[in-house]
């Protein structure tokens, strides 16, 4: 879910937007200065939008400073000229600046008028937002995108999902594990997390009473997260992960199941493993909490900023490629066999 910063457009920017929507400008560069959106640079049209594009856009991109660029096309819709909205957030810019620009993006679109924006492009390097990069973006938008690792996992879960009746007040066996009752305080904490009144909830299993109870709700920043992971006991963690991704500011709930290997008893390992799926089913189906990613770790040191980001937003090129079966020899072949040893050479017969 996006979040806005309270930064607004100055009066002069709003006046400029009126002229821009009427076709006076080819390009507006918008920056944040003194907690206001201001015009950092502008260009009037010279040639067609394609001829002007790289000559106007690329020189305005700074290596360590995010910005927004509104670029006018020559086409029009019912509201007037159509525009490209470019969110520039270079890799080497300060994290605080990235977050600020990501969180203010929705405000700028609203101030300018979302109906005028035909396409949105996000870039961290110039190739992303060059004319060639924009055309590649258009091609990618016209074809179905490949499933991310998270989407593929969700698809498989839905295919194999078994409908079960799981309650918060009863303990019983399910097809996916054991559903222990969840303490009232734990349910209340999860509700607060869903409503963003808390940003971290840790749950544990009361072995004696066989219930899931609240263990911790300390305010937790990303750098604090490894310290919340016990080294000698298993836990369930729900964390409100605040971060920027492709120009948007996101607040996503991540579930982390920590199990520190064989420092835990066999019973503890089995119970935490068995209770995990029913717990998540209650949280997602009855509390209506959207969990963006489920992670299993054995050590809190794994929870670096890079690790968490790549878990939530896996790189598409890291997907497994389908195996292309090599073509067999030409001509007639015998009856297909299920298993064939490397030393077998004889042709099977009916």
């Amino acid at each position: 879910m996006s979040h806005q910063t309270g930064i607004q457009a100055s009066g002069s920017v709003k006046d400029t937007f009126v002229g821009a929507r009427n076709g006076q400008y080819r390009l507006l560069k918008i920056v944040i200065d003194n907690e206001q959106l201001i015009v950092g640079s502008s260009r009037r049209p010279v040639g067609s939008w394609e001829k002007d594009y790289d000559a106007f856009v690329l020189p305005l991109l700074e290596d360590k400073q995010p910005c927004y660029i509104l670029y006018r096309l020559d086409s029009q819709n019912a509201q007037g000229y159509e525009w490209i909205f470019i969110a520039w957030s270079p890799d080497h810019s300060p994290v605080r600046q990235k977050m600020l620009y990501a969180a203010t993006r929705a405000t700028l679109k609203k101030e300018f008028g979302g109906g005028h924006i035909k396409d949105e492009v996000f870039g961290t390097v110039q190739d992303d937002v060059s004319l060639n990069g924009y055309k590649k973006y258009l091609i990618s938008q016209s074809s179905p995108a490949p499933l991310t690792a998270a989407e593929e996992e969700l698809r498989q879960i839905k295919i194999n999902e078994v409908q079960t009746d799981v309650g918060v007040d009863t303990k019983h066996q399910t097809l996916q594990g054991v559903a222990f009752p969840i303490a009232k305080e734990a349910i209340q904490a999860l509700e607060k997390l869903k409503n963003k009144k808390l940003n971290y909830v840790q749950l544990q299993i009361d072995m004696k009473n066989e219930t899931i109870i609240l263990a911790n709700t300390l305010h937790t920043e990303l750098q604090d997260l490894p310290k919340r992971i016990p080294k000698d006991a298993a836990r369930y963690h729900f964390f409100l992960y605040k971060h920027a991704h492709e120009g948007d500011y996101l607040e996503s709930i991540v579930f982390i199941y920590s199990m520190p290997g064989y420092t835990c008893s066999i019973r503890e390992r089995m119970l935490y493993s068995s209770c995990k799926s029913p717990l998540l089913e209650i949280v997602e189906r009855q509390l209506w909490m959207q969990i963006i990613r489920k992670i299993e770790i054995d050590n809190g040191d794994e929870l670096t900023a890079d690790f968490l980001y790549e878990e939530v937003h896996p790189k598409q090129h890291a997907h497994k490629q389908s195996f292309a079966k090599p073509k067999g020899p030409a001509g007639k072949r015998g009856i297909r066999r299920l298993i064939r040893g490397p030393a077998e050479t004889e042709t099977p017969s009916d």
Side-chain angles (χ1 to χ4, degrees):
M1 182 176 291
S2 63
H3 171 75
Q4 297 185 23
T5 57
I7 292 173
Q8 301 294 325
S10 65
S12 60
V13 167
K14 292 179 180 180
D15 292 339
T16 303
F17 283 171
V18 173
R21 290 191 292 265
N22 291 331
Q24 294 181 21
Y25 298 96
R26 173 69 75 192
L27 174 149
L28 296 176
K29 178 181 179 180
I30 308 297
V31 298
I32 298 173
D33 185 49
N34 291 326
E35 299 188 355
Q36 278 194 321
L37 292 167
I38 66 169
V39 178
S41 185
S42 63
R43 299 286 189 276
R44 295 183 182 273
V46 175
S48 68
W49 76 268
E50 288 185 276
K51 290 182 179 179
D52 288 345
Y53 191 98
D54 281 344
F56 283 15
V57 173
L58 300 185
L60 298 178
L61 304 178
E62 300 179 48
D63 291 337
K64 297 183 179 180
Q65 180 59 48
C67 69
Y68 310 109
I69 290 179
L70 292 161
Y71 188 85
R72 180 172 68 76
L73 301 171
D74 295 328
S75 57
Q76 298 187 40
N77 61 24
Q79 298 190 36
Y81 282 103
E82 295 181 313
W83 292 72
I84 305 171
F85 181 91
I86 301 172
W88 171 246
S89 185
D91 290 330
H92 300 296
S93 55
V95 173
R96 185 178 181 279
Q97 287 291 306
K98 290 181 182 180
M99 298 286 279
L100 181 64
Y101 273 82
T104 311
R105 180 174 173 176
T107 298
L108 175 56
K109 288 166 57 180
K110 181 180 178 181
E111 294 280 7
F112 184 74
H116 294 273
I117 296 173
K118 180 182 179 183
D119 294 306
E120 293 184 48
V121 181
F122 172 79
T124 59
V125 295
Q126 286 198 2
D127 286 347
D128 294 337
V129 297
S130 66
L131 179 60
N132 189 46
Y134 174 58
K135 290 183 176 180
K136 287 181 179 179
Y137 163 82
L138 293 178
I139 293 172
S140 70
Q141 291 299 106
S142 63
S143 59
L147 294 178
T148 66
E151 290 168 340
E152 176 61 24
E153 179 184 4
L154 181 60
R155 186 182 73 87
Q156 290 296 331
I157 289 172
K158 288 182 176 180
I159 290 173
N160 299 314
E161 193 174 58
V162 177
Q163 299 293 330
T164 56
D165 181 18
V166 181
V168 296
D169 298 320
T170 58
K171 178 187 74 175
H172 57 275
Q173 188 80 21
T174 73
L175 293 180
Q176 296 182 343
V178 178
F180 281 177
I182 304 173
K184 180 179 178 181
E185 294 78 7
I187 293 290
Q188 291 173 341
L190 290 170
E191 290 279 8
K192 288 181 180 179
L193 177 73
K194 185 181 73 170
N195 296 323
K196 300 181 182 177
K197 295 178 180 178
L198 293 174
N199 79 333
Y200 174 74
V201 171
Q202 181 184 123
L203 304 181
Q204 70 180 92
I205 295 178
D206 182 337
M207 298 292 180
K208 181 179 178 180
N209 298 309
E210 295 189 342
T211 58
I212 297 175
I213 62 174
L214 182 64
N216 193 333
T217 58
L218 287 175
H219 182 80
T220 300
E221 298 297 336
L222 182 56
Q223 64 269 20
D224 302 324
L225 195 53
K227 296 183 288 187
R228 303 285 186 259
I229 312 299
K231 297 184 181 297
D232 58 354
R235 291 289 187 272
Y236 303 124
H237 313 260
F238 297 83
F239 177 61
L240 185 61
Y241 178 39
K242 302 177 181 180
H243 62 290
H245 174 64
E246 294 188 350
D248 283 324
Y249 176 80
L250 304 175
E251 295 183 347
S252 309
I253 295 176
V254 176
F255 171 78
I256 302 166
Y257 167 43
S258 65
M259 170 58 71
Y262 292 93
T263 60
C264 300
S265 68
I266 293 175
R267 180 169 182 260
E268 182 176 353
R269 294 201 302 270
M270 290 181 65
L271 284 179
Y272 271 88
S273 177
S274 298
C275 290
K276 175 170 64 72
S277 292
L279 168 64
L280 289 171
E281 189 167 359
I282 291 170
V283 169
E284 292 180 303
R285 293 189 180 184
Q286 297 189 22
L287 301 184
W288 296 101
M289 181 186 294
Q290 182 181 11
I291 298 174
I292 198 70
R293 187 69 171 156
K294 303 176 180 75
I295 303 170
E296 296 190 14
I297 62 168
D298 55 22
N299 191 319
D301 295 338
E302 299 176 47
L303 293 175
T304 63
D306 288 342
F307 171 82
L308 199 56
Y309 182 86
E310 290 173 6
E311 283 290 320
V312 174
H313 304 288
K315 296 179 180 177
Q316 290 191 8
H317 63 70
H319 299 341
K320 293 182 180 179
Q321 299 297 319
S322 58
F323 175 72
K325 183 178 178 181
K327 293 181 179 179
K332 294 184 178 179
R333 303 181 65 184
I335 300 172
R336 183 176 298 172
R337 303 178 63 182
L338 294 178
I339 300 175
R340 182 169 183 169
E344 294 177 5
T345 57
E346 61 187 37
T347 303
S349 59
D350 293 332

